[in-house]
Each structure stands twice: as C-alpha cells, then as structure tokens.
Amino acid sequence: MSFANSPLLRLQFVVFVALGLFGQVLFSVIAHFLDFDNRVCMLLYRGGYLCLCSYIVVYSFKESNKIFLRPFPISLFFFWFYYFMRLVWDSSVANVDLMLPIWEFFAWGFGSCFLPSLTAFVLSGRVIRQSNSAFLGIAGAFMLGTASILFFLINGFERVRFMLPNLNPINVSQSFMLLSLIGLSSVFWGSRSNRRIRALSFAVFFLALMMGAYAGSRGAMLSFAASCIVLIFLYFQSSFTFKRRKFFAVAGVLFASFFLFITFVLPSFFERINTSGFDANSIIRMMAFKESFDAFLGHPLFGAGFRLHLTLQENIYSGFSVWFPHNLIAESLGLGGMLLSVTLCCCLVLAFRNAYALSKSLEFESWRLSILVASFGFVLFSGHLSNIPLFWIAMGIAASPSDISAQKS
C-alpha cells in the first residue's frame, strides 16, 4: 500500500514535526504539573518518538531504498559514523574521561539527532502542500499553548522567565520562536483564500513571539530576527507594491508593540540584550570558542576528540556543570577536526541549497528555510553536537527534495 499524498502520510508528517519541535517543552511541563519524574517522562517521550522515526524510516526503505543513497543521508551517516567511532575510541582505547556516560552520548546522538534527521529527510519531501505551515502552526499552538497554561497554573505570573527545574528556558525559547516563524510563513503564503486561517496564523505568530521573548534566550531572539529577514526577503520577491506598503504598516505596529513588551514587561531580558557580548556569560563562551579553535589547530585533521570537553571544563568552565563550547562549528572543529567538520558542512550546504530552491519554486514552503536559519543560529549560541535535536530535524526537513516520492527502487 502506498501512502504517497494520502491523509495518513500528511498526519504522520504533522505529528512527527510537531513532536520533534515542541514535544520536549510540553511533556516536561506536564511532568512537572503532575509531579512525575521528568527523566522517566523524557525517556517515554524520546522512546515513543524513536519508534515513530523507526517506523517511517523502515517503511520508506521498503518503498524506495534509493532515497538513502542521496548526498544528504550519506553525509549525515558519515558524520555520525565518525562521531560514534571517535567516542568509542576515546572511551575504550585512549581512556578519556567522558563528561556523560557513553550510553547517553549514543542515546542522544542516535535517537534524538541522527534518526530524526534521517526521518525528516525521507518524509518531508513527500508532503508538499500549501496548508503544511497552517496545520503545523495549529498543532504547535495546541502543544505550546497547553504547556503555557500549565506553566502559569503552577507558577502564576511572578516568574520572570519560562523555566522549570528540569526545563532549560533556552529550549523553551527556541521552540516558541520556531512556532512563531511557522505562523509567519502561514500568514504570508499558507492559506491566502482563507482569512480565518490567516488570522489564526497571525495570532500564533504574535503570541509565540511574546512567549519566546518571555523565555528569554538572546541567541534564539537573534536567530529569529535573521529568519524573519529571510522570510521578508522572499515575501517581497513574490508580492506587489501595495502589499509591501501594507506590510510595513503592520510591521511597524508589531515592532513597536514588541519593543514596549520587552521594555516594560520583561525589563530583565531587555537589560540582558543590552549587555550581550560584554557580560560574563558571553565572555566565557567566547573563551570556550577560542579554546576549541586552538584544539583544532593542534589536531587539524582528526580533532582533539572528547578530550576537548574535559579541557573546556577544566580551563574555562571550572566550577560550572557546563563542558561544551556552546557553538556547533567550534565543537565540530575541536572535537573532530576537518574530517567531522567537512561532513557537517556538506549537510548544511545541501540543506540550505535545497530549502532555498524549494522556497523559490514553491513559496509556501519557505517555512522550511526559515526554521533552518533559526535552528542553525540557535546552535551557534547553545547546545552540543549530540543534544540539539531541533537543529538536526530542521536540517533534515530543509534537505528533503520535492521529488523524493518519485524515487523508486
């Protein structure tokens, strides 16, 4: 039975993307609300998501195994193959003290990054529809809206950030910003003939933006701004002069409202934005970047391996629980050298090239490029290679070509 262009395939796509981009925030808040062990809840969530990914990949392989011989999945495979081989070598042969148990690196790397990215690649190109961004926006609004309601029921409105003991506000901010970008894309192109859907998409865009700012990640905000510029550029290329004037009028009101919101409602976040690049946190991260680059210069071909994390923890983050450079490129260079970084660059180039080409030919799919730009910006400021599922999922979505369903074995 073929599911190409079927309602079941579209449902799989919406569920897969929504769970990948917004699931962690929702289930972490639910676990806290029910006083349930967050670690167990995350294992159940990640395990269920892993089963969904495995089903989609296995079915896609049976239907069209040539899909897996395209440049992106090959580059993705070689990246993670070297990463895991270096992990095993450093822990078993070189006796490097890992900052996490080896099984956690494997679980996060394979189950939350590699397999979801591969799943996104084989699935997303088979679901090319104008309503994608609208349905994803509705699903995301339901999930993150539920999380927001539960959060405020738990904490009231006194908290200055959307954060819980087991939920990093950076991750929360990233999820809300991605939802906001999907909503904005739906406003521009998702359902031009349906004013109710466009009005709902605008509400999703604006409210998700406010909640993203409330979570208070400066890196997520900067990445969101870069993605908005990309979407506006694409919109101007496909719109008339009158629409551009309407856009500037609405955008001016939105910008003023958002500025007033963060100035008077979120003064601590506004102060942190003003001190970006000069506060202690920013300086430490720049020092970690330099340390990672020095490790690359010392081992340009193969990198310093997982000893990089130990070096950062001892020399830069002494006294803190952090041990990674908070920058995808720096960690890739320092940990795996040119061998790891070249494969990562191949994945990025393929994803950006395909997403831009798809946005030019099918403008309503521009949301794919926007979330890729945003997620790439996220990982330049936070996270480490095997613990950034949003980025790997977004890259797989962006790299998936529109003709993938036609590739038969």
Side-chain angles (χ1 to χ4, degrees):
M1 177 182 179
S2 176
F3 292 145
N5 297 317
S6 70
L8 179 57
L9 184 67
R10 295 195 291 272
L11 177 62
Q12 286 179 1
F13 175 73
V14 172
V15 171
F16 166 76
V17 176
L19 283 175
L21 300 184
F22 316 122
Q24 180 187 1
V25 176
L26 173 63
F27 291 112
S28 290
V29 174
I30 289 177
H32 189 78
F33 182 76
L34 298 177
D35 198 23
F36 188 70
D37 189 305
N38 184 77
R39 190 175 180 85
V40 174
C41 185
M42 286 297 100
L43 286 174
L44 293 173
Y45 158 59
R46 297 293 179 189
Y49 195 61
L50 180 63
C51 291
L52 175 63
C53 293
S54 300
Y55 165 74
I56 294 172
V57 168
V58 170
Y59 183 85
S60 299
F61 183 82
K62 290 181 178 179
E63 187 181 59
S64 176
N65 55 39
K66 290 184 180 179
I67 294 172
F68 299 89
L69 298 178
R70 294 200 176 195
F72 179 81
I74 291 175
S75 300
L76 186 70
F77 171 80
F78 277 110
F79 176 91
W80 286 106
F81 177 78
Y82 179 73
Y83 182 89
F84 290 135
M85 286 294 292
R86 189 60 191 260
L87 175 64
V88 172
W89 174 271
D90 284 353
S91 63
S92 302
V93 180
N95 294 320
V96 175
D97 292 329
L98 301 178
M99 304 307 297
L100 292 174
I102 188 171
W103 70 266
E104 285 200 35
F105 281 107
F106 271 102
W108 275 101
F110 182 82
S112 296
C113 297
F114 169 72
L115 190 58
S117 186
L118 184 62
T119 305
F121 176 80
V122 301
L123 178 63
S124 302
R126 303 169 65 192
V127 187
I128 305 293
R129 294 177 64 86
Q130 188 169 4
S131 57
N132 279 346
S133 57
F135 282 122
L136 286 174
I138 293 171
F142 173 76
M143 295 174 69
L144 294 185
T146 301
S148 300
I149 292 171
L150 294 178
F151 175 83
F152 288 120
L153 286 176
I154 296 169
N155 300 288
F157 296 92
E158 290 78 21
R159 283 285 184 95
V160 296
R161 296 185 73 178
F162 195 128
M163 61 186 301
L164 294 171
N166 294 301
L167 182 60
N168 193 323
I170 295 176
N171 296 335
V172 177
S173 189
Q174 290 172 354
S175 291
F176 273 110
M177 291 304 181
L178 291 182
L179 177 59
S180 184
L181 289 169
I182 292 172
L184 181 60
S185 181
S186 182
V187 171
F188 285 162
W189 301 289
S191 298
R192 291 180 172 178
S193 60
N194 192 323
R195 292 186 176 181
R196 292 182 179 178
I197 293 296
R198 295 189 73 182
L200 179 60
S201 298
F202 181 83
V204 169
F205 155 71
F206 189 70
L207 293 176
L209 174 60
M210 295 299 180
M211 288 302 297
Y214 175 63
S217 169
R218 293 172 293 181
M221 182 62 67
L222 181 62
S223 303
F224 171 82
S227 296
C228 281
I229 293 173
V230 171
L231 283 179
I232 293 169
F233 171 76
L234 293 172
Y235 178 69
F236 278 7
Q237 287 190 324
S238 62
S239 62
F240 301 107
T241 303
F242 176 69
K243 289 186 177 181
R244 296 178 187 178
R245 292 174 179 173
K246 288 176 61 178
F247 169 83
F248 279 117
V250 174
V253 175
L254 283 176
F255 178 79
S257 302
F258 182 69
F259 180 79
L260 292 174
F261 175 73
I262 62 173
T263 302
F264 295 104
V265 180
L266 303 174
S268 60
F269 181 48
F270 183 70
E271 182 179 354
R272 289 173 58 234
I273 292 176
N274 287 334
T275 59
S276 296
F278 302 99
D279 61 304
N281 190 34
S282 299
I283 293 173
I284 289 176
R285 293 193 182 192
M286 286 187 283
M287 293 170 61
F289 182 93
K290 180 182 181 301
E291 187 78 21
S292 301
F293 192 71
D294 289 342
F296 164 69
L297 294 179
H299 308 84
L301 185 57
F302 299 106
F306 286 81
R307 187 174 282 104
L308 170 71
H309 296 155
L310 186 61
T311 301
L312 290 174
Q313 216 285 323
E314 292 177 346
N315 298 342
I316 306 298
Y317 297 117
S318 180
F320 298 92
S321 59
V322 183
W323 40 266
F324 42 88
H326 280 291
N327 184 288
L328 177 87
I329 303 301
E331 186 176 9
S332 177
L333 288 170
L335 190 152
M338 290 297 297
L339 199 59
L340 193 67
S341 301
V342 167
T343 55
L344 176 62
C345 287
C346 287
C347 290
L348 283 168
V349 169
L350 290 167
F352 273 108
R353 186 180 67 177
N354 182 75
Y356 180 71
L358 194 61
S359 299
K360 295 291 288 184
S361 59
L362 300 169
E363 57 193 22
F364 55 82
E365 292 291 350
S366 297
W367 65 272
R368 301 178 188 237
L369 179 60
S370 71
I371 67 169
L372 176 61
V373 172
S375 61
F376 181 62
F378 296 161
V379 297
L380 295 181
F381 299 99
S382 62
H384 63 91
L385 288 172
S386 61
N387 190 19
I388 43 175
L390 294 185
F391 166 73
W392 292 103
I393 293 171
M395 189 162 59
I397 292 172
S400 186
S402 60
D403 65 336
I404 200 169
S405 60
Q407 187 76 21
K408 296 297 181 182
S409 57

PDB file of all heavy atoms in Angstrom, residues 221-238:
ATOM      1  N   MET A 221      16.460  34.823  20.093  1.00  0.00           N
ATOM      2  CA  MET A 221      15.893  36.062  19.566  1.00  0.00           C
ATOM      3  C   MET A 221      16.679  36.559  18.351  1.00  0.00           C
ATOM      4  O   MET A 221      16.093  36.983  17.345  1.00  0.00           O
ATOM      5  CB  MET A 221      15.884  37.131  20.662  1.00  0.00           C
ATOM      6  CG  MET A 221      15.265  38.457  20.242  1.00  0.00           C
ATOM      7  SD  MET A 221      13.525  38.299  19.784  1.00  0.00           S
ATOM      8  CE  MET A 221      12.816  37.868  21.378  1.00  0.00           C
ATOM      9  N   LEU A 222      17.987  36.507  18.429  1.00  0.00           N
ATOM     10  CA  LEU A 222      18.816  36.937  17.298  1.00  0.00           C
ATOM     11  C   LEU A 222      18.597  36.038  16.086  1.00  0.00           C
ATOM     12  O   LEU A 222      18.481  36.522  14.951  1.00  0.00           O
ATOM     13  CB  LEU A 222      20.287  36.923  17.714  1.00  0.00           C
ATOM     14  CG  LEU A 222      21.303  37.375  16.662  1.00  0.00           C
ATOM     15  CD1 LEU A 222      21.053  38.826  16.258  1.00  0.00           C
ATOM     16  CD2 LEU A 222      22.729  37.229  17.206  1.00  0.00           C
ATOM     17  N   SER A 223      18.499  34.738  16.312  1.00  0.00           N
ATOM     18  CA  SER A 223      18.266  33.802  15.213  1.00  0.00           C
ATOM     19  C   SER A 223      16.890  34.015  14.603  1.00  0.00           C
ATOM     20  O   SER A 223      16.715  33.918  13.381  1.00  0.00           O
ATOM     21  CB  SER A 223      18.393  32.361  15.717  1.00  0.00           C
ATOM     22  OG  SER A 223      19.648  32.146  16.300  1.00  0.00           O
ATOM     23  N   PHE A 224      15.914  34.299  15.453  1.00  0.00           N
ATOM     24  CA  PHE A 224      14.571  34.593  14.961  1.00  0.00           C
ATOM     25  C   PHE A 224      14.585  35.825  14.056  1.00  0.00           C
ATOM     26  O   PHE A 224      13.950  35.842  12.997  1.00  0.00           O
ATOM     27  CB  PHE A 224      13.630  34.817  16.142  1.00  0.00           C
ATOM     28  CG  PHE A 224      12.269  35.342  15.760  1.00  0.00           C
ATOM     29  CD1 PHE A 224      11.288  34.474  15.318  1.00  0.00           C
ATOM     30  CD2 PHE A 224      11.990  36.696  15.835  1.00  0.00           C
ATOM     31  CE1 PHE A 224      10.036  34.955  14.951  1.00  0.00           C
ATOM     32  CE2 PHE A 224      10.748  37.184  15.478  1.00  0.00           C
ATOM     33  CZ  PHE A 224       9.761  36.314  15.038  1.00  0.00           C
ATOM     34  N   ALA A 225      15.313  36.863  14.464  1.00  0.00           N
ATOM     35  CA  ALA A 225      15.397  38.083  13.657  1.00  0.00           C
ATOM     36  C   ALA A 225      16.009  37.791  12.286  1.00  0.00           C
ATOM     37  O   ALA A 225      15.527  38.288  11.256  1.00  0.00           O
ATOM     38  CB  ALA A 225      16.213  39.140  14.394  1.00  0.00           C
ATOM     39  N   ALA A 226      17.066  36.959  12.250  1.00  0.00           N
ATOM     40  CA  ALA A 226      17.691  36.604  10.978  1.00  0.00           C
ATOM     41  C   ALA A 226      16.713  35.840  10.088  1.00  0.00           C
ATOM     42  O   ALA A 226      16.642  36.074   8.876  1.00  0.00           O
ATOM     43  CB  ALA A 226      18.946  35.769  11.238  1.00  0.00           C
ATOM     44  N   SER A 227      15.937  34.932  10.673  1.00  0.00           N
ATOM     45  CA  SER A 227      14.962  34.163   9.896  1.00  0.00           C
ATOM     46  C   SER A 227      13.846  35.059   9.370  1.00  0.00           C
ATOM     47  O   SER A 227      13.360  34.855   8.254  1.00  0.00           O
ATOM     48  CB  SER A 227      14.368  33.043  10.761  1.00  0.00           C
ATOM     49  OG  SER A 227      15.360  32.116  11.122  1.00  0.00           O
ATOM     50  N   CYS A 228      13.429  36.027  10.181  1.00  0.00           N
ATOM     51  CA  CYS A 228      12.397  36.971   9.720  1.00  0.00           C
ATOM     52  C   CYS A 228      12.877  37.752   8.501  1.00  0.00           C
ATOM     53  O   CYS A 228      12.105  37.989   7.561  1.00  0.00           O
ATOM     54  CB  CYS A 228      12.024  37.931  10.844  1.00  0.00           C
ATOM     55  SG  CYS A 228      10.897  37.231  12.045  1.00  0.00           S
ATOM     56  N   ILE A 229      14.135  38.148   8.514  1.00  0.00           N
ATOM     57  CA  ILE A 229      14.698  38.867   7.365  1.00  0.00           C
ATOM     58  C   ILE A 229      14.632  37.994   6.117  1.00  0.00           C
ATOM     59  O   ILE A 229      14.284  38.465   5.019  1.00  0.00           O
ATOM     60  CB  ILE A 229      16.138  39.293   7.657  1.00  0.00           C
ATOM     61  CG1 ILE A 229      16.154  40.350   8.760  1.00  0.00           C
ATOM     62  CG2 ILE A 229      16.823  39.831   6.399  1.00  0.00           C
ATOM     63  CD1 ILE A 229      17.547  40.728   9.236  1.00  0.00           C
ATOM     64  N   VAL A 230      14.936  36.709   6.263  1.00  0.00           N
ATOM     65  CA  VAL A 230      14.863  35.783   5.132  1.00  0.00           C
ATOM     66  C   VAL A 230      13.438  35.682   4.613  1.00  0.00           C
ATOM     67  O   VAL A 230      13.188  35.756   3.392  1.00  0.00           O
ATOM     68  CB  VAL A 230      15.388  34.386   5.539  1.00  0.00           C
ATOM     69  CG1 VAL A 230      15.123  33.365   4.437  1.00  0.00           C
ATOM     70  CG2 VAL A 230      16.873  34.450   5.846  1.00  0.00           C
ATOM     71  N   LEU A 231      12.462  35.503   5.511  1.00  0.00           N
ATOM     72  CA  LEU A 231      11.069  35.385   5.090  1.00  0.00           C
ATOM     73  C   LEU A 231      10.570  36.671   4.431  1.00  0.00           C
ATOM     74  O   LEU A 231       9.842  36.624   3.421  1.00  0.00           O
ATOM     75  CB  LEU A 231      10.184  35.050   6.292  1.00  0.00           C
ATOM     76  CG  LEU A 231      10.204  33.605   6.787  1.00  0.00           C
ATOM     77  CD1 LEU A 231       9.286  33.457   7.999  1.00  0.00           C
ATOM     78  CD2 LEU A 231       9.775  32.643   5.689  1.00  0.00           C
ATOM     79  N   ILE A 232      10.935  37.805   4.988  1.00  0.00           N
ATOM     80  CA  ILE A 232      10.510  39.087   4.407  1.00  0.00           C
ATOM     81  C   ILE A 232      11.109  39.271   3.021  1.00  0.00           C
ATOM     82  O   ILE A 232      10.445  39.731   2.088  1.00  0.00           O
ATOM     83  CB  ILE A 232      10.904  40.248   5.341  1.00  0.00           C
ATOM     84  CG1 ILE A 232      10.092  40.178   6.631  1.00  0.00           C
ATOM     85  CG2 ILE A 232      10.694  41.595   4.658  1.00  0.00           C
ATOM     86  CD1 ILE A 232      10.582  41.114   7.720  1.00  0.00           C
ATOM     87  N   PHE A 233      12.379  38.910   2.852  1.00  0.00           N
ATOM     88  CA  PHE A 233      13.024  38.978   1.544  1.00  0.00           C
ATOM     89  C   PHE A 233      12.284  38.120   0.519  1.00  0.00           C
ATOM     90  O   PHE A 233      12.003  38.568  -0.605  1.00  0.00           O
ATOM     91  CB  PHE A 233      14.480  38.529   1.668  1.00  0.00           C
ATOM     92  CG  PHE A 233      15.192  38.362   0.348  1.00  0.00           C
ATOM     93  CD1 PHE A 233      15.634  39.468  -0.367  1.00  0.00           C
ATOM     94  CD2 PHE A 233      15.404  37.096  -0.179  1.00  0.00           C
ATOM     95  CE1 PHE A 233      16.275  39.316  -1.588  1.00  0.00           C
ATOM     96  CE2 PHE A 233      16.049  36.927  -1.395  1.00  0.00           C
ATOM     97  CZ  PHE A 233      16.480  38.047  -2.105  1.00  0.00           C
ATOM     98  N   LEU A 234      11.927  36.910   0.885  1.00  0.00           N
ATOM     99  CA  LEU A 234      11.208  36.023  -0.028  1.00  0.00           C
ATOM    100  C   LEU A 234       9.801  36.556  -0.304  1.00  0.00           C
ATOM    101  O   LEU A 234       9.296  36.444  -1.431  1.00  0.00           O
ATOM    102  CB  LEU A 234      11.126  34.618   0.570  1.00  0.00           C
ATOM    103  CG  LEU A 234      12.454  33.867   0.697  1.00  0.00           C
ATOM    104  CD1 LEU A 234      12.266  32.576   1.486  1.00  0.00           C
ATOM    105  CD2 LEU A 234      13.043  33.552  -0.672  1.00  0.00           C
ATOM    106  N   TYR A 235       9.171  37.150   0.709  1.00  0.00           N
ATOM    107  CA  TYR A 235       7.826  37.690   0.527  1.00  0.00           C
ATOM    108  C   TYR A 235       7.838  38.880  -0.424  1.00  0.00           C
ATOM    109  O   TYR A 235       6.960  39.016  -1.282  1.00  0.00           O
ATOM    110  CB  TYR A 235       7.256  38.102   1.882  1.00  0.00           C
ATOM    111  CG  TYR A 235       5.871  38.712   1.807  1.00  0.00           C
ATOM    112  CD1 TYR A 235       4.778  37.932   1.474  1.00  0.00           C
ATOM    113  CD2 TYR A 235       5.676  40.064   2.075  1.00  0.00           C
ATOM    114  CE1 TYR A 235       3.501  38.478   1.403  1.00  0.00           C
ATOM    115  CE2 TYR A 235       4.409  40.620   2.016  1.00  0.00           C
ATOM    116  CZ  TYR A 235       3.332  39.822   1.671  1.00  0.00           C
ATOM    117  OH  TYR A 235       2.078  40.375   1.595  1.00  0.00           O
ATOM    118  N   PHE A 236       8.827  39.739  -0.289  1.00  0.00           N
ATOM    119  CA  PHE A 236       8.925  40.894  -1.174  1.00  0.00           C
ATOM    120  C   PHE A 236       9.144  40.476  -2.622  1.00  0.00           C
ATOM    121  O   PHE A 236       8.697  41.149  -3.548  1.00  0.00           O
ATOM    122  CB  PHE A 236      10.064  41.812  -0.723  1.00  0.00           C
ATOM    123  CG  PHE A 236       9.672  42.732   0.405  1.00  0.00           C
ATOM    124  CD1 PHE A 236       8.448  42.609   1.029  1.00  0.00           C
ATOM    125  CD2 PHE A 236      10.534  43.720   0.831  1.00  0.00           C
ATOM    126  CE1 PHE A 236       8.086  43.438   2.063  1.00  0.00           C
ATOM    127  CE2 PHE A 236      10.176  44.574   1.865  1.00  0.00           C
ATOM    128  CZ  PHE A 236       8.956  44.425   2.482  1.00  0.00           C
ATOM    129  N   GLN A 237       9.849  39.381  -2.819  1.00  0.00           N
ATOM    130  CA  GLN A 237      10.072  38.906  -4.178  1.00  0.00           C
ATOM    131  C   GLN A 237       8.799  38.390  -4.840  1.00  0.00           C
ATOM    132  O   GLN A 237       8.719  38.328  -6.069  1.00  0.00           O
ATOM    133  CB  GLN A 237      11.122  37.790  -4.183  1.00  0.00           C
ATOM    134  CG  GLN A 237      12.547  38.276  -3.934  1.00  0.00           C
ATOM    135  CD  GLN A 237      13.564  37.194  -4.177  1.00  0.00           C
ATOM    136  OE1 GLN A 237      13.330  36.024  -3.906  1.00  0.00           O
ATOM    137  NE2 GLN A 237      14.717  37.568  -4.712  1.00  0.00           N
ATOM    138  N   SER A 238       7.810  38.028  -4.024  1.00  0.00           N
ATOM    139  CA  SER A 238       6.588  37.436  -4.574  1.00  0.00           C
ATOM    140  C   SER A 238       5.356  38.308  -4.376  1.00  0.00           C
ATOM    141  O   SER A 238       4.236  37.857  -4.584  1.00  0.00           O
ATOM    142  CB  SER A 238       6.340  36.070  -3.924  1.00  0.00           C
ATOM    143  OG  SER A 238       6.141  36.208  -2.530  1.00  0.00           O
TER     144      SER A 238
END
